[in-house]
């Protein structure tokens, strides 16, 4: 079993603040690009708009970034490997698509979901199953908390 990364091993968790969307795209693309050039794997889970802009920035760095409708299968496989090999403890998601991807790749990791708006809280059989397998739910307002309770979360 692989030991969890430590600061001395060169692995770290960074928090960056950005002034606007364009600086976000540049910061993420630079960070991911440096890793790709060094031969490191990268998984980007983003909104479609952010994905397109980050991909465009990476392409501008002469890095080949491809995505297809079936790319989630490859993403799932790579994320499962990453979670297993890097002994990931928590997968924290923010949108429906990454929530599903996290649930399907979590292994022994805990799964957390943050809801940022009430429209993201959905009802239905599949959603209930997803929420039932989520270890922690975080909300950013009482309105969203109320909506979560109505949805059975």
């Amino acid at each position: 079993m692989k030991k969890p990364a430590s600061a001395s091993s060169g692995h770290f968790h960074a928090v960056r603040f950005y002034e606007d969307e364009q600086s976000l795209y540049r910061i993420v693309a630079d960070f991911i690009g440096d890793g790709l050039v060094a031969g490191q794997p990268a998984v980007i889970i983003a909104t479609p708009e952010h994905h397109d802009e980050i991909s465009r920035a990476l392409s501008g760095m002469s890095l080949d970034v491809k995505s297809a409708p079936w790319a989630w299968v490859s993403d799932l496989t790579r994320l499962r490997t990453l979670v297993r090999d890097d002994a990931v403890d928590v997968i924290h998601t923010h949108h429906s698509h990454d929530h599903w991807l996290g649930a399907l790749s979590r292994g022994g990791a805990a799964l957390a979901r943050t809801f940022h708006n009430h429209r993201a809280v959905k009802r239905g059989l599949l959603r209930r199953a997803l929420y039932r397998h989520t270890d922690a739910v975080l909300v950013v307002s009482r309105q969203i908390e109320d909506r979560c309770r109505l949805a059975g979360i």
Side-chain angles (χ1 to χ4, degrees):
M1 180 159 143
K2 192 172 183 179
K3 290 175 28 178
S6 67
S8 64
S9 71
H11 293 84
F12 65 96
H13 178 87
V15 175
R16 292 284 307 261
F17 297 96
Y18 55 92
E19 295 177 22
D20 55 35
E21 294 293 307
Q22 291 305 315
S23 65
L24 167 68
Y25 306 143
R26 183 183 38 76
I27 290 167
V28 172
D30 288 347
F31 180 77
I32 297 295
D34 288 348
L36 292 173
V37 168
Q40 297 296 315
V43 176
I44 301 172
I45 301 174
T47 64
E49 177 187 339
H50 287 158
H51 175 270
D52 291 347
E53 293 296 329
I54 293 166
S55 295
R56 191 172 292 115
L58 288 168
S59 295
M61 299 165 71
S62 300
L63 294 169
D64 187 22
V65 180
K66 296 180 182 173
S67 183
W70 54 88
W72 67 271
V73 175
S74 175
D75 292 344
L76 178 61
T77 302
R78 288 191 314 234
L79 189 54
R80 279 183 175 165
T81 300
L82 179 73
V83 168
R84 181 191 66 231
D85 291 352
D86 287 359
V88 171
D89 295 317
V90 178
I91 298 174
H92 185 181
T93 66
H94 296 266
H95 302 283
S96 294
H97 60 281
D98 63 327
H99 193 179
W100 282 106
L101 191 59
L104 294 170
S105 62
R106 69 187 291 185
L111 180 62
R113 166 75 188 266
T114 297
F115 287 99
H116 296 275
N117 66 66
H118 71 279
R119 293 180 313 277
V121 182
K122 308 287 186 191
R123 293 176 144 184
L125 185 63
L126 289 176
R127 298 293 177 133
R128 268 199 314 269
L130 176 62
Y131 300 151
R132 215 174 18 253
H133 290 92
T134 301
D135 300 300
V137 173
L138 298 97
V139 298
V140 299
S141 73
R142 291 277 182 219
Q143 179 188 21
I144 299 169
E145 179 183 5
D146 293 344
R147 175 90 177 212
C148 285
R149 291 187 190 286
L150 286 173
I153 301 173

